[in-house]
Amino acid sequence: MAQPDLYPVPPEWAARAKVDAASYAQLHGRSLADPGSFWLEQARRLDWVKRPEIAGDWSFDEKDFHIQWFADGKLNAAANCIDRHLKERSDAVAIIWEPDEPGEEARSFTYRELHAEVCRFANVLKALGVAKGDRVTIYLPMIPEAAFAVLACARIGAIHSVVFGGFSPEALAGRIEDCDSKLVITADEGRRGGKRIALKANVDEAAARAPSLETVLVVRATGGEVTMSEGRDIWFDAVAQGVAADCPAEPMGAEDPLFILYTSGSTGKPKGVLHTTGGYLLWAAMTHDLAFDYVQGDVFWCAADIGWVTGHSYILYGPLANGATTLMYEGLPNWPDASRIWQIVDKHKVHTLFTAPTALRALMKDGDGPVRATDRSSLKLLGTVGEPINPEAWRWYHGVVGEGLCPIIDTWWQTETGGAMIAPLPGATDLKPGSATKPMPGVDPQIVDAEGQVLSGAAEGNLVIARSWPGQMRTVWGDHDRFFQTYFTTYPGKYFTGDGARRDGDGDYWITGRVDDVINVSGHRMGTAEVESALVAHPKVAEAAVVGMPHDVKGQGIYAYVTLNAGEEGGEALRDELRQWVRKEIGPIATPDALQFAPGLPKTRSGKIMRRILRKIAEGDVGSLGDTSTLAEPAVVGDLVANRVA
Ligand code: ATP
Ligand code: MG
């Protein structure tokens, strides 16, 4: 492939940013050479009830397996996100909330108002008997109460488990039962893209399959009709009237659990990822500050849902810990039309936009017009997360959305890592479309081969992290052995990410996709990301997913699913053209053996392509597609099966 383009740090960023190239190198070097003092110093980013004197205490070895950070420290996450800003910034806006309906008025909450809302919510939880250590399931739409509920749990030391409002009753029931939660917080209905989602009715259905559930706390959001079940269901407002306005923040041990979050399920049965208080919060705050060079007053918009880790770390915990103004949006990026996301940027003078490649590809389908129709001059920084970003989408984001002026912060990380692990810093890192570039301070990535041999210099293989970092998950809820087995046995003594990566001669990392998805064609190992990016680079292609299929001669062949841009027609001629295109872009070895035109691809509710299902279809094994409960639109599977290319 052609050499990747290089986008050097813009001089104004190098001059203005908190970290430049030289200080990044120094910071990263020191974080690995002297982790003890480095992390105790970083810990000063937080407000501690009792300041820690120990930093990391961990071992990834089986006989002494343990992970702890700042274990002797005490703090409260909600107090860090709210109370400590009251002295000097109580009238600064903490949360801007933009509703689904463009005509409806936006709302905003200052830190003082946020404090009052969260205290009231916390007192409601207490009135219902929720205590420190209890699990509380939050199944809410993207309304301000979702933020209040999360922070209220943190304030009283209850462990929140947020379940994305798009999940089915079955998926919700499984997540309630798995962590044995007795209380669910929900709303009458949610709204997204002009549609109503019957959240309370979903909880009613889930309750039948979740015997641990005792109480359902219902927030009135739309005023839609619901059935209240006597003795179990309680209106939030009814309890809130009688509670006190102040609620002291519970001092928590740094290693006390903060939340459980079930992973999105691209690869199998969801796991309850557990994060603890001190290390996680520090990681969210530090990475938000460094990767986005956050300056108080800037409007930060992470366009994820609070149901995903991205929403936890970069709508709530990271920005609020840093005293930021964070934007929360109820709806969809392309509703009522493809300009909405950019109109919101203009309306609230958004400084940083952080979104996912899947959203960008969906917006690109409609061309540049809807973007060009807006101003976007407030934008200074753009971020992406969730999947490898195809260079084509990266260039569009940079050139069209950012008018060539905004660095793109491509953050590689996982629910398990708590926050960004590999990402450029805008004042320090030269950018390459498709590369997440360099590790954050404290992150020690390695590329290993199948035998675990550490590869040095430019290399490609499996991505592991050789030492613990504060934001690391601490266990799989209720199954510590699964935690150890999943992440620490493939390459003993190291955290295995499950992702493949390439490191180039400059030390920049390129995530090649999940290791399970690597295709082995005639002995050549190929990441799915590269073939997909080549397809997406074709002017008629909107989206592509590539999987392996059994092949008599090559061992594995390449099966490609391709979604075309609006108005394009698939046919034999285009099929040949696309195969030749990939051949020319990457090489003959990457030529797809089968290519199916697909109007839609199976995605998780967070928008990631579920290759597990595509693999089964490509293999012709359509009888056992596995768990499809986390699919966003199960209907697309039927079409894919019917139009399978034999
Ligand atoms: P599950 O673990 O349940 O199968 P998931 O892995 O999709 O679901 P997340 O933790 O949300 O759940 O996603 C993390 C994964 O997303 C990473 O392991 C990686 O494969 C991919 N990813 C995230 N950000 C990037 C990025 N910037 N570049 C490349 N890949 C990314
Ligand atoms: Mg994962």
Side-chain angles (χ1 to χ4, degrees):
M1 243 201 340
Q3 272 300 104
D5 293 350
L6 188 74
Y7 293 71
V9 176
E12 63 284 7
W13 274 98
R16 179 182 70 204
K18 294 174 201 170
V19 180
D20 64 11
S23 49
Y24 163 75
Q26 201 256 348
L27 206 60
H28 190 262
R30 204 159 65 78
S31 72
L32 299 191
D34 190 6
S37 76
F38 177 83
W39 284 115
L40 289 178
E41 190 183 298
Q42 287 296 319
R44 293 178 178 273
R45 291 174 176 273
L46 302 181
D47 221 24
W48 297 85
V49 175
K50 182 189 173 293
R51 191 175 288 287
E53 282 162 37
I54 328 166
D57 172 10
W58 56 274
S59 162
F60 292 168
D61 290 335
E62 183 161 19
K63 43 182 188 343
D64 184 31
F65 181 62
H66 68 284
I67 302 168
Q68 291 197 326
W69 283 88
F70 313 114
D72 62 333
K74 280 198 182 316
L75 77 169
N76 181 280
N80 270 279
C81 289
I82 309 170
D83 304 44
R84 67 162 162 158
H85 308 307
L86 293 180
K87 220 183 294 160
E88 277 161 18
R89 319 193 63 245
S90 64
D91 291 325
V93 175
I95 297 178
I96 300 174
W97 179 75
E98 170 69 19
D100 189 46
E101 280 289 341
E104 210 174 289
E105 227 174 300
R107 299 173 66 188
S108 67
F109 301 85
T110 63
Y111 275 96
R112 189 205 316 279
E113 289 163 340
L114 181 62
H115 179 259
E117 296 286 355
V118 170
C119 283
R120 201 161 63 107
F121 214 114
N123 282 330
V124 167
L125 296 181
K126 277 186 171 172
L128 297 176
V130 178
K132 180 172 169 174
D134 289 351
R135 276 78 58 210
V136 172
T137 300
I138 300 178
Y139 184 64
L140 284 170
M142 282 287 286
I143 55 177
E145 285 80 1
F148 307 156
V150 162
L151 294 166
C153 287
R155 196 164 187 89
I156 64 174
I159 305 168
H160 58 77
S161 162
V162 182
V163 178
F164 172 54
F167 275 129
S168 65
E170 189 189 342
L172 172 64
R175 286 156 171 78
I176 295 170
E177 276 303 287
D178 185 78
C179 67
D180 191 23
S181 110
K182 297 183 174 51
L183 176 77
V184 172
I185 306 172
T186 191
D188 44 7
E189 295 175 316
R191 306 184 303 180
R192 270 186 116 208
K195 294 197 190 101
R196 301 262 170 127
I197 304 139
L199 293 179
K200 172 62 170 64
N202 284 353
V203 175
D204 293 341
E205 227 182 296
R209 300 179 219 182
S212 68
L213 182 59
E214 291 170 5
T215 309
V216 180
L217 182 63
V218 190
V219 172
R220 200 184 288 282
T222 64
E225 219 169 292
V226 296
T227 322
M228 297 294 276
S229 154
E230 178 90 42
R232 187 195 69 191
D233 301 347
I234 298 167
W235 285 108
F236 176 83
D237 284 338
V239 193
Q241 279 168 5
V243 301
D246 191 35
C247 171
E250 184 75 26
M252 304 293 287
E255 282 298 333
D256 283 338
L258 180 62
F259 66 84
I260 300 166
L261 186 56
Y262 291 87
T263 49
S264 59
S266 314
T267 51
K269 183 177 178 281
K271 340 178 227 297
V273 168
L274 183 92
H275 281 288
T276 56
T277 307
Y280 167 80
L281 190 65
L282 178 63
W283 195 251
M286 183 192 87
T287 54
H288 173 257
D289 180 44
L290 296 180
F292 300 108
D293 196 68
Y294 187 76
V295 175
Q296 286 180 348
D298 292 347
V299 177
F300 185 84
W301 182 15
C302 168
D305 191 281
I306 284 182
W308 312 124
V309 72
T310 307
H312 282 56
S313 302
Y314 299 112
I315 297 177
L316 297 180
Y317 286 115
L320 295 176
N322 290 330
T325 301
T326 183
L327 192 147
M328 219 178 137
Y329 171 45
E330 187 179 23
L332 299 171
N334 53 1
W335 187 85
D337 59 51
S339 270
R340 181 71 191 278
I341 188 169
W342 319 120
Q343 287 162 357
I344 297 173
V345 165
D346 286 347
K347 179 173 174 185
H348 298 293
K349 303 273 176 289
V350 170
H351 176 281
T352 302
L353 173 69
F354 187 26
T355 187
T358 179
L360 294 172
R361 289 191 301 261
L363 291 161
M364 278 171 79
K365 267 194 217 174
D366 293 299
D368 302 355
V371 189
R372 302 273 191 216
T374 59
D375 177 51
R376 288 162 287 107
S377 60
S378 61
L379 279 179
K380 296 292 180 286
L381 207 57
L382 298 168
T384 152
V385 59
E387 286 177 289
I389 182 166
N390 321 102
E392 184 78 1
W394 195 103
R395 291 199 175 87
W396 185 79
Y397 203 20
H398 188 266
V400 179
V401 174
E403 310 269 351
L405 301 169
C406 307
I408 308 278
I409 307 301
D410 175 2
T411 65
W412 171 83
W413 55 295
Q414 312 177 298
T415 309
E416 294 90 333
T417 70
M421 297 290 280
I422 300 182
L425 312 189
T429 320
D430 296 339
L431 306 175
K432 296 170 187 171
S435 171
T437 72
K438 300 272 195 308
M440 295 298 291
V443 175
D444 188 6
Q446 289 180 346
I447 293 183
V448 298
D449 65 14
E451 282 71 50
Q453 202 68 39
V454 179
L455 307 176
S456 57
E460 181 164 348
N462 299 335
L463 181 65
V464 301
I465 310 293
R467 57 172 89 190
S468 184
W469 65 99
Q472 182 167 30
M473 72 182 281
R474 299 298 195 263
T475 193
V476 171
W477 180 263
D479 199 346
H480 200 53
D481 189 53
R482 186 177 175 198
F483 177 50
F484 182 76
Q485 295 298 331
T486 307
Y487 302 100
F488 302 93
T489 53
T490 318
Y491 301 107
K494 290 167 187 176
Y495 170 79
F496 179 40
T497 65
D499 286 340
R502 180 158 61 83
R503 186 176 48 225
D504 67 20
D506 301 324
D508 286 318
Y509 287 82
W510 302 71
I511 307 300
T512 52
R514 293 167 203 276
V515 170
D516 292 351
D517 297 332
V518 165
I519 308 172
N520 195 328
V521 183
S522 311
H524 298 271
R525 291 164 61 78
M526 224 171 319
T528 49
E530 194 174 11
V531 186
E532 287 163 8
S533 288
L535 283 163
V536 173
H538 188 280
K540 292 185 178 164
V541 175
E543 190 150 48
V546 160
V547 297
M549 63 180 227
H551 192 286
D552 291 345
V553 182
K554 307 186 211 171
Q556 265 190 315
I558 296 180
Y559 193 112
Y561 298 84
V562 171
T563 305
L564 297 174
N565 279 326
E568 300 293 349
E569 228 10 277
E572 249 351 282
L574 183 57
R575 194 190 309 264
D576 280 341
E577 185 183 323
L578 291 176
R579 295 181 66 236
Q580 289 311 315
W581 171 272
V582 176
R583 191 186 168 90
K584 188 176 104 298
E585 291 274 306
I586 306 178
I589 192 79
T591 315
D593 297 278
L595 192 148
Q596 176 174 350
F597 292 109
L601 297 171
K603 292 193 182 161
T604 64
R605 297 190 183 244
S606 59
K608 296 190 200 197
I609 296 165
M610 246 204 227
R611 289 193 184 69
R612 176 167 60 80
I613 289 174
L614 294 175
R615 237 179 348 243
K616 292 273 186 193
I617 296 173
E619 288 164 4
D621 184 10
V622 297
S624 59
L625 294 179
D627 181 8
T628 54
S629 69
T630 60
L631 270 181
E633 285 177 71
V636 301
V637 175
D639 176 89
L640 291 172
V641 170
N643 294 301
R644 183 172 168 265
V645 189

